Amino acid sequence: MLRSLIEFCVRQPVLTLFAAIAIAAFGGYCALNIPIDAIPNVGENQVIVFTEWPGRSPKDVEDQVTYPLSVALLTVPHAESVRGKSMFGYSFVQITFDDGVDFYWARSRVLERLGTAIATLPEGVTPTLGPDATALGQIFYYVLEGPPGMNLSELRTMQDYVIKYELQSVQGVSEVASVGGYVRQYQIEVDPDALRFHDVTLERLITAVKDSNIDVGAKTVESGGMEYVVRGRGFIGQNKDAKQSLADIEKTVVLTRDGVPVRIRDLAQVQLGPDYRSGAIDLNGSEAVGGVVVMRFGENPRAVIARVREKLQQLEPSLKGVKVVSVYDRTGLVDETVATLTESLREELVITAVVIVLFLLHFRASVIVALTLPMAVLMSFIGMRWFQIDANIMSLAGIAIAIGEVADLGIIISENIYQHLVDWEAKQGEKDGDPRSRTDVIIEATYEVAPAVMTGV
């Protein structure tokens, strides 16, 4: 078969040329569209189940959440191991699958098992899947720089309710994590002495707060041929004035005794304040607010980062003077990786052409051998796309190293063809000339070393 292929290529140069052009064009298309990352993904094929149970100790979380989930998820098909970790108020369960298992197939199987495992968990505890990303999915970090007078709480609010939602809608983004600043919340500081004085339990106060923060629907009222819908507005925070919202909470009735209402303001102090936090962002010596963009599994980092930057440019004019500043962008490292491959290819092209010209004194042969180098690289990208192999610093470095091997093998074949042609021309000058044609000599000379070249000898 190899000889037939060589003979066809030599005897049909026009068709071979068009085939080479088509392969080069398709290889270029694959090179432009294949996901290129800087760092190879050596992480395990795993799915993370995250469960929040606020205010519970690690022991309670382990016994009532982590252990039941781990036992239930042991039956997931193709799961190699299930590992659990319990923290204060949080539970993490990692399910590791075989490398050949499809990522999204594994997530769907875990989600099916969670549907039955929820029945074994405490009331109100709901496990959720982690983002559909790998450990190397963090591709873009940014911080917010606000105008004078804007504090960290306001920046965090803008990050959580404006920027985060906009970036999550970008194609290829799995999650946007907010970090730094203060999360604004309504805080009710209960006075224990006031609870004892009014004979009110803390649970009764909490129930009153929950019941007050709802809208109530009623029936309709007909008047003058018109029908009006009656409803009770109870959601806290509907008024844009923060002081008015605080007053709504303070006026909430906890209970009524002898016709006299006992309100929250009689039992506690209501205020706006920051949520508890265990970390912060430090940028150049000052605290900041920012976010982390996590890329979805299998996406192209450069394309996703480009779409994120485009979205930020569209969003900045409506942020009331807030600027989004990039502090980490993986595009630079990816571009440097691609530049290294391009530079290696260019240098080896020049060196190979010069060496062939000096040793063979044949310009056309040097051009042909030099053209095999970019063709080999483009065909490598076709294979990577066919087998769904991402390009990274390791795979691209392997291609750059293999360029030298391709050049050596090209020189071997061209030198063997050159030597056979010299011997053939010498015999043609004799009386009993070689009956073979020039094309036959080229075919035999190529086939003579082709098997050894294909095996890398």
Side-chain angles (χ1 to χ4, degrees):
M1 180 180 178
L2 179 60
R3 184 182 182 89
S4 301
L5 179 62
I6 295 173
E7 184 174 356
F8 174 81
C9 294
V10 175
R11 296 188 184 279
Q12 303 292 336
V14 178
L15 294 179
T16 304
L17 178 61
F18 281 115
I21 294 175
I23 293 174
F26 185 61
Y29 171 80
C30 294
L32 294 176
N33 292 275
I34 190 172
I36 301 179
D37 204 345
I39 308 171
N41 183 18
V42 295
E44 297 176 317
N45 185 11
Q46 64 181 12
V47 178
I48 299 178
V49 178
F50 168 78
T51 309
E52 184 177 3
W53 199 15
R56 301 292 178 168
S57 66
K59 176 64 175 176
D60 294 337
V61 174
E62 174 70 22
D63 294 340
Q64 302 187 47
V65 178
T66 304
Y67 178 75
L69 283 179
S70 300
V71 172
L73 295 175
L74 283 173
T75 59
V76 175
H78 301 290
E80 288 186 342
S81 63
V82 177
R83 298 188 295 269
K85 181 179 181 181
S86 301
M87 302 173 61
F88 184 80
Y90 298 97
S91 169
F92 298 90
V93 179
Q94 299 177 355
I95 306 95
T96 305
F97 292 85
D98 299 333
D99 292 336
V101 177
D102 181 72
F103 181 78
Y104 288 102
W105 183 90
R107 288 177 62 88
S108 63
R109 298 287 82 78
V110 172
L111 193 60
E112 288 179 358
R113 292 298 302 146
L114 287 181
T116 58
I118 291 178
T120 63
L121 301 181
E123 184 179 358
V125 177
T126 305
T128 58
L129 292 183
D132 53 341
T134 64
L136 299 176
Q138 300 179 4
I139 59 173
F140 189 79
Y141 296 0
Y142 63 90
V143 295
L144 305 181
E145 291 185 355
M150 181 172 287
N151 55 37
L152 296 176
S153 176
E154 294 172 333
L155 289 175
R156 179 58 185 262
T157 301
M158 180 170 291
Q159 161 64 22
D160 287 340
Y161 297 102
V162 180
I163 301 177
K164 177 180 178 179
Y165 293 146
E166 290 290 339
L167 293 183
Q168 284 181 338
S169 64
V170 175
Q171 181 182 356
V173 174
S174 173
E175 182 186 30
V176 178
S178 301
V179 288
Y182 300 94
V183 178
R184 183 182 297 181
Q185 62 179 194
Y186 294 103
Q187 297 178 345
I188 301 177
E189 295 186 1
V190 181
D191 184 0
D193 295 332
L195 290 179
R196 286 193 296 267
F197 178 79
H198 292 281
D199 192 19
V200 178
T201 62
L202 182 61
E203 182 179 358
R204 180 66 180 273
L205 188 146
I206 295 175
T207 303
V209 174
K210 290 181 179 179
D211 294 341
S212 67
N213 190 30
I214 57 174
D215 275 0
V216 180
K219 295 183 178 181
T220 59
V221 175
E222 294 185 4
S223 176
M226 298 291 292
E227 189 177 72
Y228 299 91
V229 178
V230 179
R231 69 184 181 97
R233 298 181 58 189
F235 279 132
I236 297 173
Q238 289 183 345
N239 196 316
K240 294 184 179 180
D241 188 358
K243 293 183 178 180
Q244 183 63 37
S245 299
L246 293 177
D248 293 340
I249 300 176
E250 292 176 344
K251 296 176 182 177
T252 300
V253 177
V254 179
L255 57 82
T256 302
R257 185 178 290 114
D258 298 331
V260 179
V262 178
R263 305 178 187 275
I264 289 181
R265 66 188 178 194
D266 301 325
L267 306 173
Q269 180 181 357
V270 183
Q271 62 186 10
L272 282 175
D275 189 10
Y276 173 80
R277 61 177 188 166
S278 57
I281 291 182
D282 180 85
L283 180 64
N284 298 328
S286 59
E287 190 174 351
V289 177
V292 179
V293 178
V294 182
M295 178 186 66
R296 184 170 287 116
F297 172 79
E299 292 287 341
N300 191 335
R302 289 198 298 180
V304 176
I305 293 175
R307 289 193 287 265
V308 169
R309 286 189 172 277
E310 182 180 359
K311 173 63 73 172
L312 289 176
Q313 291 179 356
Q314 299 174 358
L315 189 61
E316 274 196 0
S318 61
L319 295 182
K320 301 178 181 179
V322 176
K323 295 183 179 179
V324 181
V325 181
S326 170
V327 294
Y328 170 73
D329 187 344
R330 197 182 293 176
T331 304
L333 187 56
V334 174
D335 291 340
E336 290 179 3
T337 304
V338 176
T340 300
L341 175 65
T342 305
E343 184 179 357
S344 300
L345 177 60
R346 182 172 57 251
E347 292 176 354
E348 295 198 39
L349 279 172
V350 175
I351 294 174
T352 302
V354 172
V355 169
I356 296 176
V357 169
L358 291 179
F359 282 87
L360 299 182
L361 299 177
H362 199 286
F363 177 75
R364 188 170 62 181
S366 64
V367 172
I368 294 175
V369 174
L371 288 176
T372 61
L373 302 184
M375 282 292 297
V377 174
L378 294 176
M379 291 177 67
S380 300
F381 281 109
I382 295 176
M384 294 172 66
R385 182 179 178 86
W386 180 269
F387 294 104
Q388 297 181 353
I389 300 175
D390 295 342
N392 51 65
I393 193 171
M394 297 298 293
S395 59
L396 295 181
I399 293 177
I401 295 173
I403 290 175
E405 185 71 16
V406 173
D408 294 340
L409 301 179
I411 293 175
I412 292 173
I413 293 178
S414 61
E415 184 180 9
N416 194 61
I417 294 175
Y418 182 80
Q419 186 62 43
H420 277 69
L421 288 176
V422 170
D423 296 340
W424 176 76
E425 291 177 355
K427 290 182 180 180
Q428 290 297 102
E430 300 176 359
K431 294 181 179 179
D432 52 345
D434 195 333
R436 298 176 301 171
S437 65
R438 182 184 182 90
T439 301
D440 295 333
V441 173
I442 295 176
I443 294 174
E444 292 180 5
T446 305
Y447 183 70
E448 181 178 326
V449 296
V453 168
M454 293 186 66
T455 55
V457 178

CSV table of all heavy atoms in Angstrom, one decimal, residues 345 349 352 366-379 406-407 409-411:
chain,number,residue,atom,x,y,z
A,345,LEU,N,9.6,26.9,14.4
A,345,LEU,CA,9.4,26.5,13.1
A,345,LEU,C,10.1,27.3,12.1
A,345,LEU,O,10.7,26.8,11.1
A,345,LEU,CB,7.8,26.5,12.8
A,345,LEU,CG,7.4,26.1,11.4
A,345,LEU,CD1,7.8,24.7,11.1
A,345,LEU,CD2,5.9,26.3,11.3
A,349,LEU,N,13.1,26.0,9.6
A,349,LEU,CA,12.9,26.1,8.2
A,349,LEU,C,14.1,26.7,7.5
A,349,LEU,O,14.6,26.2,6.5
A,349,LEU,CB,11.7,27.0,7.9
A,349,LEU,CG,10.3,26.3,8.0
A,349,LEU,CD1,9.2,27.3,7.8
A,349,LEU,CD2,10.1,25.2,6.9
A,352,THR,N,17.2,24.3,7.9
A,352,THR,CA,17.1,23.1,7.0
A,352,THR,C,17.3,23.4,5.6
A,352,THR,O,18.1,22.7,4.9
A,352,THR,CB,15.7,22.5,7.2
A,352,THR,OG1,15.4,22.1,8.5
A,352,THR,CG2,15.5,21.2,6.3
A,366,SER,N,15.9,21.6,-1.4
A,366,SER,CA,15.8,22.3,-0.1
A,366,SER,C,14.4,22.9,0.1
A,366,SER,O,13.9,22.8,1.2
A,366,SER,CB,16.9,23.3,-0.1
A,366,SER,OG,16.6,24.4,-1.0
A,367,VAL,N,13.8,23.4,-1.0
A,367,VAL,CA,12.5,24.0,-0.8
A,367,VAL,C,11.4,22.9,-0.5
A,367,VAL,O,10.6,23.1,0.4
A,367,VAL,CB,12.1,24.8,-2.1
A,367,VAL,CG1,10.6,25.2,-2.0
A,367,VAL,CG2,13.0,26.0,-2.3
A,368,ILE,N,11.5,21.8,-1.2
A,368,ILE,CA,10.6,20.7,-1.0
A,368,ILE,C,10.7,20.2,0.5
A,368,ILE,O,9.6,20.0,1.1
A,368,ILE,CB,10.8,19.6,-2.0
A,368,ILE,CG1,10.5,20.1,-3.4
A,368,ILE,CG2,10.0,18.3,-1.6
A,368,ILE,CD1,10.8,19.1,-4.5
A,369,VAL,N,11.9,20.0,1.0
A,369,VAL,CA,12.0,19.5,2.3
A,369,VAL,C,11.6,20.5,3.3
A,369,VAL,O,10.9,20.2,4.3
A,369,VAL,CB,13.5,19.1,2.6
A,369,VAL,CG1,13.7,18.7,4.0
A,369,VAL,CG2,13.9,18.0,1.7
A,370,ALA,N,11.9,21.8,3.1
A,370,ALA,CA,11.4,22.8,4.0
A,370,ALA,C,9.9,22.9,4.1
A,370,ALA,O,9.3,23.2,5.1
A,370,ALA,CB,12.0,24.2,3.6
A,371,LEU,N,9.2,22.6,3.0
A,371,LEU,CA,7.7,22.7,3.0
A,371,LEU,C,7.1,21.6,3.8
A,371,LEU,O,6.0,21.7,4.3
A,371,LEU,CB,7.2,22.7,1.5
A,371,LEU,CG,7.4,23.9,0.7
A,371,LEU,CD1,6.9,23.7,-0.7
A,371,LEU,CD2,6.7,25.1,1.3
A,372,THR,N,7.9,20.5,4.0
A,372,THR,CA,7.3,19.4,4.8
A,372,THR,C,7.2,19.8,6.2
A,372,THR,O,6.4,19.2,7.0
A,372,THR,CB,8.2,18.1,4.6
A,372,THR,OG1,9.5,18.4,5.1
A,372,THR,CG2,8.3,17.7,3.2
A,373,LEU,N,8.0,20.7,6.7
A,373,LEU,CA,7.9,21.1,8.1
A,373,LEU,C,6.6,21.7,8.5
A,373,LEU,O,5.9,21.3,9.4
A,373,LEU,CB,9.1,22.0,8.5
A,373,LEU,CG,10.5,21.4,8.2
A,373,LEU,CD1,11.5,22.4,8.7
A,373,LEU,CD2,10.6,20.1,8.9
A,374,PRO,N,6.1,22.8,7.8
A,374,PRO,CA,4.8,23.4,8.2
A,374,PRO,C,3.7,22.4,7.9
A,374,PRO,O,2.7,22.4,8.6
A,374,PRO,CB,4.7,24.7,7.3
A,374,PRO,CG,5.7,24.5,6.2
A,374,PRO,CD,6.8,23.6,6.8
A,375,MET,N,3.9,21.6,6.8
A,375,MET,CA,2.8,20.6,6.5
A,375,MET,C,2.7,19.6,7.7
A,375,MET,O,1.5,19.2,8.0
A,375,MET,CB,3.2,19.9,5.2
A,375,MET,CG,2.9,20.6,4.0
A,375,MET,SD,1.1,20.9,3.7
A,375,MET,CE,0.6,19.1,3.5
A,376,ALA,N,3.8,19.2,8.2
A,376,ALA,CA,3.7,18.2,9.3
A,376,ALA,C,3.0,18.8,10.6
A,376,ALA,O,2.3,18.2,11.3
A,376,ALA,CB,5.1,17.8,9.7
A,377,VAL,N,3.3,20.1,10.8
A,377,VAL,CA,2.7,20.8,11.9
A,377,VAL,C,1.2,20.9,11.7
A,377,VAL,O,0.4,20.7,12.6
A,377,VAL,CB,3.4,22.2,12.1
A,377,VAL,CG1,2.6,23.0,13.2
A,377,VAL,CG2,4.8,22.1,12.5
A,378,LEU,N,0.8,21.3,10.5
A,378,LEU,CA,-0.6,21.5,10.2
A,378,LEU,C,-1.4,20.1,10.3
A,378,LEU,O,-2.5,20.1,10.8
A,378,LEU,CB,-0.8,22.1,8.9
A,378,LEU,CG,-0.3,23.6,8.7
A,378,LEU,CD1,-0.5,24.0,7.3
A,378,LEU,CD2,-1.1,24.5,9.6
A,379,MET,N,-0.7,19.1,9.9
A,379,MET,CA,-1.3,17.8,10.0
A,379,MET,C,-1.4,17.3,11.4
A,379,MET,O,-2.4,16.6,11.8
A,379,MET,CB,-0.5,16.7,9.1
A,379,MET,CG,-0.6,17.0,7.6
A,379,MET,SD,0.4,15.8,6.7
A,379,MET,CE,-0.5,14.3,7.0
A,406,VAL,N,11.5,15.7,11.8
A,406,VAL,CA,10.9,15.7,10.4
A,406,VAL,C,11.9,16.2,9.4
A,406,VAL,O,12.0,15.7,8.3
A,406,VAL,CB,9.6,16.6,10.4
A,406,VAL,CG1,9.1,16.8,9.0
A,406,VAL,CG2,8.5,15.9,11.3
A,407,ALA,N,12.7,17.2,9.9
A,407,ALA,CA,13.7,17.8,9.0
A,407,ALA,C,14.8,16.7,8.7
A,407,ALA,O,15.2,16.6,7.5
A,407,ALA,CB,14.3,19.0,9.6
A,409,LEU,N,14.5,13.4,8.6
A,409,LEU,CA,13.9,12.4,7.8
A,409,LEU,C,13.7,12.9,6.3
A,409,LEU,O,13.9,12.2,5.4
A,409,LEU,CB,12.6,11.9,8.3
A,409,LEU,CG,12.7,11.3,9.7
A,409,LEU,CD1,11.3,10.9,10.2
A,409,LEU,CD2,13.6,10.1,9.8
A,410,GLY,N,13.3,14.2,6.2
A,410,GLY,CA,13.2,14.8,4.9
A,410,GLY,C,14.6,14.9,4.2
A,410,GLY,O,14.7,14.6,3.0
A,411,ILE,N,15.6,15.2,4.9
A,411,ILE,CA,17.0,15.2,4.3
A,411,ILE,C,17.4,13.8,3.9
A,411,ILE,O,18.0,13.6,2.8
A,411,ILE,CB,18.0,15.8,5.4
A,411,ILE,CG1,17.6,17.3,5.6
A,411,ILE,CG2,19.4,15.6,4.9
A,411,ILE,CD1,18.5,17.9,6.7
